[in-house]
Amino acid sequence: MDKESLSHPHQGISRRDLLVVAGTAAATFASYSSVARATSKQGKFAVGEAKPGEDIFAYITRVKGGFDLTTYQQAIGAANEFKEGDQAIGVAAEDETTRKNARALLANTKIRDLYRQPLFEDALQRLIWQTTDQAQYEKIKDWTMGELKAFLLSKPEEEIKAVMNGLTSDTIGLVPKLMSNDELVSLSQKIFNVMPGTQMGAKGYMGARIQPNSPTDHPDDIAWQVFDAFSYATGDIVIGTNPVDSTVNSVVAVERALKDIVDTFALGEVIPWCVLAHIDVQAEVGERFPATVSTMFQSLAGTDDCNKIFDITNDKILNYARSKKGERYGLYFETGQGSEFTNGVANGVDMMVLESRKYGFSRAVGIELARVQPRGAWLHVNDVAGFIGPEVFKSRDQLVRCCLEDMVMGKLHGLTIGLDICTTLHMTVSLEDLDWCQDQIMPANPAYLIALPTKNDPMLSYLTTSFQDHVRIREKFGFKVNDAMWDFYKRIGIVGSDGRYTANYGDPLWVYYQYRLAKGDGRPKDAIYEEGRGRMREVEQRGVDLATGHGEKIWDLNPALADKVRGLYDDAKQSLWAELTPEFAAGVPNVVPVRTLSKDRNDFIAHPNTGEGLNSEAVAAIETLRRSWGNDIPKGQIIISDGLNAKAIMDDGHLAPFLEEMRRLLSEAGVPMSDKNILVTSGRVRAGYRIGEMLFEKADPETLRGVLHIIGERPGTVHHAYSVYITVAKGKRWSEKNIDHDLTRLVSNVADTALPPKEAARETLTIIREIVAKEVNGSRRYG
């Protein structure tokens, strides 16, 4: 794809920017992530019996003849409760005996020795050292980890807070390894880090991040989900939308829609809003359109290598903290166990310690914010546990364990931490399982949970917490909403003066009516209601469900909506197991059918890495195609994969219109493409990178080549949508065989009922033009 052919981009066409892996509610790549291909340590690890009083360093010296970093990482990882991700990294315990032995060694190890020997050193580790309180560290450095555990479980909050800032993130990441679930709950129940000027994060309070996502970023979809949340007295810490389109013009439109609601209801000092685009995009929006950006978001990782994929550095995020000088609202981070290994950059460290390092990063940023925010640092973290998929962990018990671990680690870092207790639809955790998980986790008192009209996100295609779940949890556990927001719910008539829900509970039309009144609308109530009903119908016709009323209990969905959600869940399971049919494959023009290393659909779902490499027959077919070009190598190749939803590719009106329009547009732009369409069975995103590397490794090192990878998104919505992954790089980069997500841009939610395929083709061309104009990559801002 050459610069001369693509130097004049079309105007006015939006694009879908890169959504990177993060264990975040904004991370679409997580669906297709890989087992850590960069590590050679696969499987499980055995630890022998510890001698009396032996610590982990003495054990390593005894069995290895001296210190060995790999053995250190493996022994530390072996102390974890089992998760599939740790096995993929190569640090999971071989059996319960190994786990017991590893914990015994760890309990005997002194904090000072762990401080001196990090599991992995990079710039992030050095930042954590720099921001660890040295005076507090001196108080506890001679304790063993067993003594630290006993201290944390037996002492009150004030004594714990007097030393916890002296713990490095590695040390904090080791604490949960020694604790049972009940002990994690007990510890979490007595540490609370409250957001300045609020009750959020305080004992007995449990709030909500309203997540009003839309498959098309339609402002009405977003606004009506906010009205819906307010009708259930839900939402207090942030209104945060995950954008489909991360261009400045699209992001500012959503920012303005959220700002309008906050301003109209006079909530500017009570609740911030946020569009979860990349932080650089948010900053650009704030500069070009002043006063439209409130709190700012970013996904964080636990290593420099993974943060590079997210296009962030320590300095970049610290600079953004400084840029919030004098403002009410600061920064909002999302994390989640597994993002590093799914990107192949765990560097041999287990998922829990890497998660703790993200909280260390957050703590460092909070210190910087505290210097510039006169009312205190406004920073909170949302742990998106379960979003990546079964390669991280599979069961409901593991989801509970992960959330409890992360709560303790976040609180020990001094953070206001919330949870996204969630599951992807290709995991085995059911709708009912999520309720069970909530009940196991809630005694730990997270600061907040995600909140949707139903458990099913209409854009991200995963399951999390509904508005009604919040009502149930508040009733069962006695949790409160932040006082200022509860007063607002009283003001608009959702909650009465007696603290009970009114007849307006569960009625977004009533909230819309209050919104119109606050804008000075003098029309009769019936006229406003009629207008509102029409808009609600339009929202629901775009595939965004709105909750109204309730079922038998006030925290139950109304029966019709409950049936629909169940139907979407069932359809997702069918879509997940659907396979490309021979008839469909035969109908793809100029098709080159290939398969990955996945033995079957079950292998593909259970072992994501098998969907990233090609089998021997596929390699031969790709080599044959490359040889057929001779020296006349085209500028690009189209690849089609089933991904996690073959129906998204096979549904009528999905693939064919995109292919026809895409080839027409590229032809008009003077871009010579391969006339073949490579069809991959059991294909994930990185399979496209591997194909591109084979095809373009002998291309001119200084000219651009690209692949357009069309792949079924994970199921869970009515749309059966697919994405187009756009990767353009110079021949030299393809020949180096290190293409990964950091080079890739994305057009998502493509379907006849969402983003129309022909419009998606136009967006794809626009993105290609933008990439070429920027000469492939380069961060827009701070470092």
Side-chain angles (χ1 to χ4, degrees):
M1 299 183 178
D2 58 18
K3 194 166 184 177
E4 292 74 20
S5 301
L6 296 167
S7 59
H8 303 291
H10 293 307
Q11 299 298 316
I13 301 175
S14 63
R15 69 173 171 85
R16 309 290 166 99
D17 207 353
L18 175 65
L19 299 176
V20 293
V21 151
T24 79
T28 298
F29 274 138
S31 310
Y32 315 107
S33 54
S34 74
V35 173
R37 64 186 175 91
T39 179
S40 60
K41 302 187 295 295
Q42 297 293 322
K44 299 180 180 180
F45 178 71
V47 175
E49 185 174 356
K51 293 183 176 181
E54 188 174 38
D55 72 5
I56 203 161
F57 297 104
Y59 172 82
I60 293 169
T61 299
R62 175 163 63 87
V63 299
K64 288 290 184 178
F67 179 74
D68 179 75
L69 179 61
T70 298
T71 305
Y72 179 42
Q73 292 171 333
Q74 290 172 325
I76 290 291
N80 286 351
E81 287 292 318
F82 176 72
K83 299 189 191 84
E84 280 72 14
D86 285 336
Q87 182 175 346
I89 294 168
V91 297
E94 182 176 80
D95 49 32
E96 285 302 318
T97 299
T98 281
R99 186 168 291 109
K100 179 182 176 181
N101 292 341
R103 287 173 176 171
L105 292 169
L106 179 57
N108 289 333
T109 304
K110 289 184 179 288
I111 291 172
R112 67 184 181 195
D113 295 327
L114 295 165
Y115 185 101
R116 294 167 179 167
Q117 183 56 67
L119 289 156
F120 175 73
E121 184 175 345
D122 58 3
L124 177 54
Q125 175 61 53
R126 291 188 286 276
L127 175 65
I128 290 167
W129 273 326
Q130 293 163 12
T131 52
T132 299
D133 188 300
Q134 290 300 305
Q136 292 190 15
Y137 168 70
E138 289 295 321
K139 297 178 185 178
I140 47 87
K141 67 180 183 180
D142 291 322
W143 296 0
T144 65
M145 287 299 298
E147 290 170 334
L148 176 61
K149 171 189 171 181
F151 172 84
L152 293 172
L153 291 175
S154 63
K155 299 300 182 181
E157 180 183 37
E158 58 270 23
E159 291 189 42
I160 294 172
K161 286 193 169 182
V163 301
M164 70 184 193
N165 288 336
L167 299 171
T168 66
S169 298
D170 275 19
T171 303
I172 291 174
L174 303 182
V175 168
K177 299 172 189 283
L178 301 178
M179 292 185 178
S180 67
N181 282 13
D182 287 344
E183 288 172 332
L184 291 171
V185 169
S186 176
L187 178 53
S188 191
Q189 284 176 337
K190 60 182 179 180
I191 303 175
F192 295 94
N193 306 302
V194 185
M195 292 283 282
T198 77
Q199 293 80 33
M200 290 181 289
K203 185 175 183 178
Y205 284 81
M206 199 283 297
R209 171 203 152 186
I210 303 170
Q211 183 168 288
N213 291 342
S214 165
T216 56
D217 289 339
H218 197 294
D220 274 2
D221 295 354
I222 292 162
W224 275 93
Q225 289 180 81
V226 177
F227 299 151
D228 203 4
F230 288 172
S231 78
Y232 290 94
T234 296
D236 55 3
I237 196 162
V238 65
I239 306 170
T241 300
N242 297 84
V244 177
D245 183 343
S246 290
T247 55
V248 168
N249 288 340
S250 181
V251 169
V252 74
V254 178
E255 297 267 16
R256 285 170 170 165
L258 297 175
K259 172 179 167 57
D260 171 66
I261 295 171
V262 171
D263 288 351
T264 299
F265 282 127
L267 294 172
E269 288 293 307
V270 177
I271 186 169
W273 67 89
C274 184
V275 178
L276 282 70
H278 190 279
I279 197 167
D280 290 346
V281 176
Q282 297 168 75
E284 189 172 347
V285 170
E287 289 179 1
R288 290 175 55 183
F289 305 94
T292 58
V293 174
S294 183
T295 196
M296 293 173 68
F297 158 84
Q298 183 55 46
S299 292
L300 298 184
T303 66
D304 291 351
D305 292 335
C306 196
N307 281 318
K308 179 182 178 182
I309 294 174
F310 294 173
D311 193 18
I312 61 170
T313 62
N314 299 344
D315 287 343
K316 175 185 283 191
I317 299 301
L318 291 169
N319 279 329
Y320 277 127
R322 297 178 191 113
S323 75
K324 304 299 284 184
K325 182 177 181 180
E327 296 185 18
R328 163 69 166 160
Y329 301 118
L331 297 176
Y332 161 37
F333 297 137
E334 286 193 350
T335 69
Q337 291 193 30
S339 58
E340 296 81 14
F341 100 81
T342 60
N343 278 289
V345 285
N347 296 298
V349 181
D350 67 89
M351 296 192 300
M352 190 156 58
V353 169
L354 291 175
E355 180 71 9
S356 187
R357 285 163 58 98
K358 299 165 199 173
Y359 302 146
F361 194 173
S362 302
R363 181 171 69 182
V365 175
I367 291 170
E368 201 66 39
L369 275 173
R371 295 189 177 111
V372 300
Q373 293 197 301
R375 288 186 281 182
W378 186 285
L379 181 144
H380 60 95
V381 175
N382 178 32
D383 169 40
V384 189
F387 182 73
I388 294 178
E391 56 266 44
V392 176
F393 55 79
K394 291 182 178 179
S395 73
R396 69 178 193 171
D397 299 280
Q398 290 174 306
L399 174 56
V400 168
R401 178 71 189 186
C402 181
C403 288
L404 295 178
E405 292 166 349
D406 295 352
M407 286 293 299
V408 162
M409 293 189 296
K411 287 188 173 188
L412 285 174
H413 278 91
L415 300 173
T416 303
I417 182 167
L419 294 174
D420 193 347
I421 305 172
C422 63
T423 177
T424 63
L425 284 143
H426 61 305
M427 292 172 68
T428 59
V429 181
S430 68
L431 292 163
E432 292 76 20
D433 286 337
L434 277 184
D435 291 344
W436 179 85
C437 291
Q438 291 166 7
D439 288 349
Q440 308 309 304
I441 295 164
M442 282 305 103
N445 203 163
Y448 64 96
L449 301 178
I450 295 296
L452 305 176
T454 74
K455 280 182 167 68
N456 191 8
D457 189 290
M459 189 272 276
L460 291 175
S461 303
Y462 80 120
L463 301 177
T464 184
T465 320
S466 71
F467 302 153
Q468 293 86 344
D469 289 328
H470 280 262
V471 176
R472 183 185 72 85
I473 289 167
R474 294 196 297 254
E475 177 72 18
K476 180 169 183 175
F477 295 94
F479 289 138
K480 300 177 183 178
V481 172
N482 186 36
D483 290 356
M485 277 302 289
W486 195 250
D487 289 343
F488 164 69
Y489 294 134
K490 290 181 177 180
R491 172 158 59 91
I492 63 172
I494 298 301
V495 178
S497 59
D498 60 358
R500 297 177 180 272
Y501 301 116
T502 70
N504 303 312
Y505 168 87
D507 185 2
L509 276 172
W510 172 261
V511 179
Y512 179 65
Y513 175 56
Q514 298 301 308
Y515 165 81
R516 294 308 312 170
L517 290 180
K519 281 189 167 295
D521 193 331
R523 290 177 294 163
K525 178 181 177 182
D526 288 348
I528 294 175
Y529 264 55
E530 183 60 28
E531 176 183 79
R533 290 188 188 96
R535 293 195 175 183
M536 288 179 69
R537 284 192 295 270
E538 292 171 357
V539 168
E540 291 176 330
Q541 286 167 0
R542 286 190 290 268
V544 177
D545 291 315
L546 297 173
T548 57
H550 57 81
E552 181 180 350
K553 302 181 182 68
I554 65 169
W555 50 79
D556 292 337
L557 288 175
N558 70 66
L561 185 54
D563 288 345
K564 182 176 181 181
V565 171
R566 172 59 62 185
L568 288 172
Y569 180 84
D570 292 341
D571 177 73
K573 295 303 182 183
Q574 294 171 14
S575 298
L576 178 64
W577 293 99
E579 298 187 51
L580 299 173
T581 66
E583 294 77 14
F584 171 80
V588 176
N590 296 319
V591 67
V592 178
V594 300
R595 296 187 65 95
T596 63
L597 295 170
S598 299
K599 293 178 290 186
D600 51 32
R601 192 70 179 167
N602 183 70
D603 190 32
F604 172 71
I605 294 167
H607 305 106
N609 59 317
T610 64
E612 298 186 339
L614 302 176
N615 67 18
S616 57
E617 293 83 359
V619 170
I622 300 302
E623 290 176 343
T624 298
L625 174 60
R626 183 185 62 196
R627 286 195 299 270
S628 72
W629 294 341
N631 294 323
D632 188 17
I633 302 174
K635 297 295 184 182
Q637 175 65 55
I638 291 177
I639 303 165
I640 305 156
S641 290
D642 46 9
L644 290 171
N645 190 354
K647 287 187 176 182
I649 304 298
M650 295 191 296
D651 280 1
D652 289 342
H654 279 205
L655 179 63
F658 177 85
L659 288 179
E660 292 167 2
E661 183 71 359
M662 192 75 255
R663 288 191 176 278
R664 184 186 70 81
L665 292 171
L666 289 169
S667 177
E668 289 179 355
V671 181
M673 296 287 291
S674 165
D675 63 351
K676 302 295 185 182
N677 292 305
I678 298 174
L679 181 65
V680 185
T681 296
S682 298
R684 292 180 181 262
V685 173
R686 285 193 173 103
Y689 303 155
R690 307 292 81 81
I691 291 171
E693 289 167 352
M694 292 178 63
L695 292 176
F696 300 131
E697 64 177 338
K698 296 182 180 178
D700 183 335
E702 297 304 316
T703 63
L704 296 172
R705 296 293 189 278
V707 297
L708 303 181
H709 192 175
I710 303 161
I711 187 166
E713 293 177 356
R714 60 183 173 193
T717 70
V718 298
H719 302 292
H720 289 177
Y722 62 83
S723 296
V724 184
Y725 289 77
I726 306 153
T727 308
V728 180
K730 290 183 178 180
K732 180 178 184 295
R733 183 69 185 268
W734 289 110
S735 69
E736 291 170 349
K737 298 186 183 298
N738 62 358
I739 300 293
D740 210 353
H741 300 324
D742 58 320
L743 281 182
T744 296
R745 297 296 178 264
L746 176 69
V747 175
S748 64
N749 281 293
V750 185
D752 56 350
T753 54
L755 177 66
K758 288 190 175 183
E759 183 178 336
R762 293 191 289 272
E763 286 199 19
T764 300
L765 182 63
T766 299
I767 292 174
I768 294 170
R769 292 182 186 278
E770 290 180 358
I771 294 172
V772 170
K774 294 176 182 178
E775 293 187 345
V776 181
N777 59 13
S779 177
R780 288 180 287 265
R781 299 172 59 83
Y782 306 129

